[in-house]
């Protein structure tokens, strides 16, 4: 199911008056972008928290999220920062639903490390 098909079915088809249908908008008004709900299979009209979680596995960070197997036409990257201001590292997601960070954390590794999931539509203008 493409982004446009999902948007028409899950947002417009269920709430025609909802004007928050763009990828970066939040149809539920919860701050979780519609595109993230598309990628993770969440209901765009139900308020929710972030579907992305970060935990520690060994000496590395592990980011996980649910996967909508029907979502097509998207690219995922994980961006990293040490200060939440400069997002200098970017990694392609190769395993659906999870990312194992590269540098170790703690003793001898990164003291502060933040990750965020970046979701992009592969088709411009969608």
């Amino acid at each position: 199911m493409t982004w446009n098909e999902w948007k028409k079915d899950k947002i417009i088809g269920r709430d025609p008056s909802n004007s928050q249908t763009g990828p970066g908008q939040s149809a539920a008004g919860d701050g979780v972008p519609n595109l993230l709900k598309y990628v993770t299979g969440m209901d765009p009209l139900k308020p929710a928290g972030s579907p992305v979680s970060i935990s520690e596995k060994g000496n590395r960070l592990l980011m996980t999220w649910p996967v909508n197997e029907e979502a097509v036409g998207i690219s995922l990257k994980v961006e990293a920062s040490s200060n939440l201001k400069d997002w200098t590292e970017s990694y392609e997601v190769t395993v659906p639903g999870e990312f194992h960070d590269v540098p170790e954390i703690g003793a001898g590794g990164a003291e502060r490390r933040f990750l965020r999931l970046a979701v992009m539509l592969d088709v411009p203008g969608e």
Side-chain angles (χ1 to χ4, degrees):
M1 174 181 287
T2 68
W3 157 255
N4 279 331
E5 291 168 339
W6 181 88
K7 177 175 70 172
K8 287 177 189 171
D9 182 48
K10 302 290 185 184
I11 302 174
I12 299 169
R14 291 173 48 213
D15 183 3
S17 66
N18 196 322
S19 62
Q20 300 296 308
T21 61
Q25 295 176 317
S26 176
D30 57 5
V32 179
N34 294 328
L35 188 57
L36 184 57
K37 288 189 175 183
Y38 167 64
V39 167
T40 59
M42 297 173 70
D43 186 332
L45 297 178
K46 289 187 179 175
S50 175
V52 178
S53 66
I54 298 178
S55 59
E56 188 176 335
K57 184 173 182 181
N59 290 334
R60 291 179 166 52
L61 294 177
L62 171 65
M63 177 186 279
T64 58
W65 60 93
V67 175
N68 177 1
E69 299 287 339
E70 296 179 353
V72 296
I74 47 119
S75 297
L76 300 172
K77 288 186 179 183
V78 172
E79 299 172 338
S81 173
S82 62
N83 61 14
L84 292 174
K85 179 181 173 189
D86 303 308
W87 296 88
T88 57
E89 299 174 64
S90 182
Y91 305 93
E92 293 288 334
V93 172
T94 57
V95 177
E98 69 179 52
F99 174 78
H100 297 265
D101 200 14
V102 177
E104 290 189 357
I105 54 175
E111 288 185 32
R112 292 175 44 168
R113 186 91 169 149
F114 303 95
L115 301 176
R116 69 180 179 189
L117 183 63
V119 182
M120 288 97 20
L121 285 170
D122 289 340
V123 181
E126 293 279 315

